[in-house]
Amino acid sequence: MEYRELTIPGAWEITPRQFGDDRGVFLEWFKGSEFEAAVGHRLDLAQANCSVSAAGVLRGIHFTDTPPGQAKYVTCVKGAFLDVIVDVRVGSPTFGQWDSVMIDDVDRRAVYLPAGLGHAILSLEDASTVMYLCSLEYTPELDHDVHPFDPELAIDWPAVGRDGSPLNFQLSGKDSAAPTLTQAAEAGVLPVYASS
């Protein structure tokens, strides 16, 4: 596997080695020892999720109270997503900045984001399927959101899907009603950056 740290410190893009022949393809999409050697700590698994989305479905920006926080290790097993990581940690040198990785069923990359970062995914094709490992079980009272179209963040969301068709963005009611980054900061719900 090849690990590349993103512009948001602590977040990583992971590109697996794929072994293919006329029968298909094999790859390791997560390996604990390699992960720990590259990132510097273990990923303790508490829950694994699978989500299927139509083209244009935008989920996020989501984050959890930190502590305890929820780290995620995300990959796409079918279709394609733009995976966006947002630094919502008050006091971080990269606060309010974002980075993105295309995760799809071709390169089969994964994205790791530690607790305290915001996360969003945009489906670029119908029936796109994402799977992610989580360090914390789903706990609704710890969940928070920032609006994915917050002009302060200025995320460059693609207007077309993987096949070039225009995307019609679809957000959940919760994500549509999410506060801006400034409003979330004023409400005191954002994680605080802890340099280590």
Side-chain angles (χ1 to χ4, degrees), residues 10 17 42 59 75 77 118:
R17 290 183 60 207
R42 293 171 37 105
R59 301 179 189 273
T75 195
V77 294

Side-chain angles (χ1 to χ4, degrees), residues 8-84:
I8 307 302
W12 294 79
E13 171 192 275
I14 301 97
T15 304
R17 290 183 60 207
Q18 300 186 57
F19 302 93
D21 58 27
D22 57 355
R23 299 169 300 157
V25 174
F26 174 83
L27 64 118
E28 296 171 342
W29 71 282
F30 176 80
K31 190 168 190 174
S33 59
E34 289 188 18
F35 176 87
E36 188 172 356
V39 175
H41 60 83
R42 293 171 37 105
L43 175 61
D44 294 320
L45 178 61
Q47 184 169 317
N49 298 332
C50 178
S51 177
V52 181
S53 300
V57 169
L58 176 51
R59 301 179 189 273
I61 302 165
H62 302 147
F63 63 96
T64 58
D65 282 345
T66 305
Q70 183 186 61
K72 296 178 184 175
Y73 190 99
V74 187
T75 195
C76 175
V77 294
K78 180 176 188 271
F81 290 89
L82 182 68
D83 190 302
V84 175

